[in-house]
Amino acid sequence: MGTTTKVKKRAKIRFLFPLAFLLLALCSLLLSGCVSYKNQTRKITETYRAGEFEAAQKMLSDKARKKAKGEQRNKGKDALLWRLEEATSFRTSKNLEQSSELFAGADQMIRYFEESSPDIQLGQEALSAFSNPANIVYEGWTTDRIMVSTYLALDHLMLGNSDQARIHLNKAYQRQQDAVRRSARRIEKEQEEIKKNRQAAAAVQDKAVQTKANSLYTNLNAFEPIANYVNPFTSYLRGLFFLFYASDSGDLEVSRKALEQAVSFVPSNKFVKEDLALVESLLDGASPSKSITYVIFENGQAPYLDQERIDMPLPIAGGIYPISVAFPVFQVYPWQENSLRITAENLSERTALVANMDSIFATDFKTELPGIIARTIASVVIKQASSIIANQALRNTGNEMAQLFGGLAIFAAQTSINIADTRSWTLLPHDFQVCRILTPANGILHIAETRGNQAATLRLPNPHGGNLVYVKSVVPGGRMIIWSRKLP
């Protein structure tokens, strides 16, 4: 009888080993499927930074089509983000018509999110408590929403659609005005939801947990804060537009206020101050006496979010559990200091900073950070508490096989959904710079990087009046894209 029992036990062990191996393989498969946004876009980013803009655009269009399933009903969880990236890639490929069409689609999705009830948004947040946070529908950072309107205005401005440009610049301004109120309301609602779960609330409020989580974000202190979600470049562009496309003194007053706001963020930028002085003189009844050519430089690449795991002692179900928690961390590309030297006949100027997108997104991210940390910790606590209950139930069965398979399945599920949400619009620039110079009589403008070796000579579309020249470069020394448009 004893021999038979031993034989059965050995047979059971031989049977369990391959099944355990199979289940561990399944765990690995689950983990491999949970790829962060940064890893999903790695190849596209490398292609884009290499100056192969058309190839990057084709890759993004292909990806966007696959990701946009259910987009018409606003159910494609990443649909907005891929649309933003795709629209930017068309823009960089100098296809402004397609770019504006795609940005218009993104704007429509954002309007849907803006008009949705906070209860719908909270339902999405609740979903993250039981799954990967990246499964929440991406509704765009405040930075995204303002930049969508800004890019739509730029596209239409360069295409000669000034009426559309006016509409989108006003919308960008309104989004800046609404951002503070919307953010405060959403944060308040999130805090209320977390408080409803006692275990999650206790972990979120634990000082040791908060200190350890906040240690990941000390780099944010290096960025100059931008108040009230204002994008100084959007303000400057709006000021410039209402200066040149003014139909009455009311438009000039809009220009003055927008330029005042831009100056308040970049008081050392002489070009913005000269434009403010110009609009003030026009409001006083003066007439413009000189033709000016403006150069806008869109430089570098925006920050991105990466994932970092840290071990945290989380208070759960009356005990302390050391758990590896995945957080999104804020990262920037190095060596992006670049500018343009603009030469026209015997005049030479250098572009000056008007908006640092690293600081703008850092401010946006920092404002959302308490909520990001709270949601991440609450999600892990709720899932871990569920696992503790499930494991206890398995132990109570006394079935070794059930305990093995159940334990591995719980581990696989826990690990595969403990992934940080690293989604952000990565093809935005590092910064925006501006320059103004007297339009040369010969109509020739020379443009050269100060850090790279790229240079171009441009024949201005309006040699006897105002011009807008737009230059984009992603990497110093890399490919440079140039648009130009005459101003009225």
Side-chain angles (χ1 to χ4, degrees):
M1 184 70 178
T3 304
T4 304
T5 303
K6 287 179 182 178
V7 170
K8 285 183 177 178
K9 187 173 278 189
R10 282 197 296 269
K12 185 177 180 181
I13 291 169
R14 284 197 300 271
F15 175 71
L16 287 176
F17 269 121
L19 283 177
F21 179 80
L22 182 64
L23 197 53
L24 283 169
L26 178 61
C27 294
S28 299
L29 183 63
L30 279 167
L31 286 170
S32 65
C34 298
V35 182
S36 70
Y37 182 72
K38 181 177 181 291
N39 287 331
Q40 289 184 60
T41 56
R42 189 183 301 279
K43 180 62 178 174
I44 295 169
T45 300
E46 290 171 356
T47 304
Y48 185 77
R49 290 178 66 80
E52 300 171 21
F53 301 135
E54 291 77 13
Q57 175 265 303
K58 288 176 183 175
M59 293 165 72
L60 274 165
S61 292
D62 182 58
K63 196 84 170 176
R65 277 193 296 272
K66 293 176 182 176
K67 291 284 185 178
K69 217 170 184 181
E71 179 182 315
Q72 295 303 316
R73 299 188 302 277
N74 294 285
K75 291 183 180 178
K77 67 182 178 66
D78 297 332
L80 172 61
L81 182 55
W82 288 106
R83 177 64 65 87
L84 295 174
E85 305 281 32
E86 185 186 15
T88 312
S89 70
F90 269 104
R91 192 169 180 278
T92 311
S93 301
K94 299 190 76 169
N95 188 338
L96 298 183
E97 291 86 355
Q98 186 64 28
S99 170
S100 61
E101 185 178 323
L102 289 166
F103 275 130
D107 183 66
Q108 187 175 0
M109 281 187 264
I110 289 171
R111 285 206 307 274
Y112 170 83
F113 297 138
E114 288 173 336
E115 293 164 4
S116 294
S117 163
D119 294 333
I120 294 175
Q121 295 173 349
L122 287 171
Q124 287 293 327
E125 301 296 349
L127 175 66
S128 72
F130 300 98
S131 68
N132 181 347
N135 282 334
I136 303 172
V137 173
Y138 183 85
E139 298 184 7
W141 296 83
T142 301
T143 303
D144 300 356
R145 298 180 180 207
I146 294 167
M147 279 307 302
V148 164
S149 297
T150 305
Y151 272 141
L152 272 166
L154 277 167
D155 281 356
H156 284 295
L157 183 58
M158 300 308 286
L159 289 168
N161 305 325
S162 60
D163 288 344
Q164 284 296 312
R166 178 185 290 258
I167 289 169
H168 291 294
L169 283 169
N170 284 334
K171 186 181 290 184
Y173 172 75
Q174 192 59 51
R175 280 182 169 149
Q176 289 185 154
Q177 296 294 103
D178 292 343
V180 176
R181 176 182 55 81
R182 288 181 181 278
S183 177
R185 185 181 177 194
R186 185 175 44 73
I187 289 169
E188 181 184 358
K189 288 284 186 183
E190 284 177 6
Q191 290 172 344
E192 289 174 3
E193 289 299 306
I194 289 172
K195 284 178 183 176
K196 290 178 183 178
N197 186 298
R198 266 187 265 177
Q199 287 201 82
V204 168
Q205 292 165 7
D206 187 275
K207 287 184 179 179
V209 170
Q210 282 288 334
T211 299
K212 194 146 192 178
N214 279 297
S215 68
L216 291 172
Y217 302 103
T218 54
N219 65 330
L220 293 173
N221 297 327
F223 299 97
E224 185 178 348
I226 307 295
N228 298 332
Y229 295 102
V230 172
N231 185 324
F233 173 68
T234 302
S235 299
Y236 176 74
L237 184 66
R238 189 165 182 258
L240 206 62
F241 177 88
F242 280 92
L243 169 60
F244 278 92
Y245 290 86
S247 57
D248 53 33
S249 61
D251 282 351
L252 288 177
E253 187 59 36
V254 170
S255 173
R256 183 182 67 79
K257 288 180 179 178
L259 289 171
E260 279 181 343
Q261 187 174 61
V263 166
S264 70
F265 286 98
V266 282
S268 62
N269 189 314
K270 68 174 184 177
F271 305 119
V272 182
K273 289 197 286 189
E274 287 170 1
D275 286 323
L276 178 58
L278 172 59
V279 74
E280 286 175 339
S281 70
L282 295 175
L283 282 166
D284 288 338
S287 298
S289 57
K290 299 174 182 177
S291 297
I292 305 294
T293 290
Y294 289 83
V295 178
I296 294 174
F297 182 34
E298 184 177 324
N299 168 55
Q301 191 169 352
Y304 60 92
L305 301 180
D306 207 349
Q307 176 177 287
E308 187 166 334
R309 288 181 178 275
I310 56 172
D311 293 328
M312 305 187 78
L314 294 178
I316 305 170
I320 300 294
Y321 291 79
I323 301 173
S324 177
V325 184
F327 287 93
V329 290
F330 190 89
Q331 303 287 356
V332 298
Y333 290 97
W335 309 109
Q336 299 207 92
E337 293 74 22
N338 197 11
S339 60
L340 298 179
R341 174 65 63 184
I342 311 300
T343 308
E345 293 184 324
N346 61 340
L347 298 175
S348 182
E349 294 285 4
R350 181 172 170 170
T351 55
L353 181 72
V354 70
N356 185 308
M357 292 301 293
D358 289 10
S359 293
I360 291 168
F361 185 33
T363 302
D364 196 352
F365 185 81
K366 198 169 183 178
T367 302
E368 301 294 325
L369 187 55
I372 291 170
I373 292 174
R375 287 196 302 274
T376 301
I377 294 171
S379 171
V380 171
V381 167
I382 291 168
K383 285 177 285 197
Q384 184 65 23
S386 300
S387 297
I388 291 168
I389 294 169
N391 275 315
Q392 185 60 53
L394 287 170
R395 281 196 296 272
N396 291 341
T397 65
N399 187 315
E400 293 177 20
M401 189 179 293
Q403 289 178 45
L404 174 64
F405 287 139
L408 285 172
I410 290 168
F411 169 78
Q414 273 187 301
T415 310
S416 65
I417 59 183
N418 186 10
I419 304 293
D421 186 358
T422 58
R423 293 173 296 175
S424 68
W425 184 358
T426 60
L427 297 193
L428 286 172
H430 164 66
D431 63 37
F432 288 96
Q433 302 170 36
V434 297
C435 172
R436 70 199 303 271
I437 195 168
L438 289 176
T439 301
N442 62 5
I444 302 296
L445 199 70
H446 301 282
I447 301 169
E449 290 182 304
T450 58
R451 271 205 65 212
N453 56 7
Q454 291 296 308
T457 298
L458 177 70
R459 183 170 292 279
L460 296 171
N462 189 4
H464 306 297
N467 298 275
L468 176 61
V469 177
Y470 200 98
V471 183
K472 179 174 177 65
S473 172
V474 179
V475 177
R479 185 176 167 192
M480 203 159 59
I481 303 296
I482 302 175
W483 302 264
S484 62
R485 177 85 195 171
K486 66 179 180 179
L487 292 171

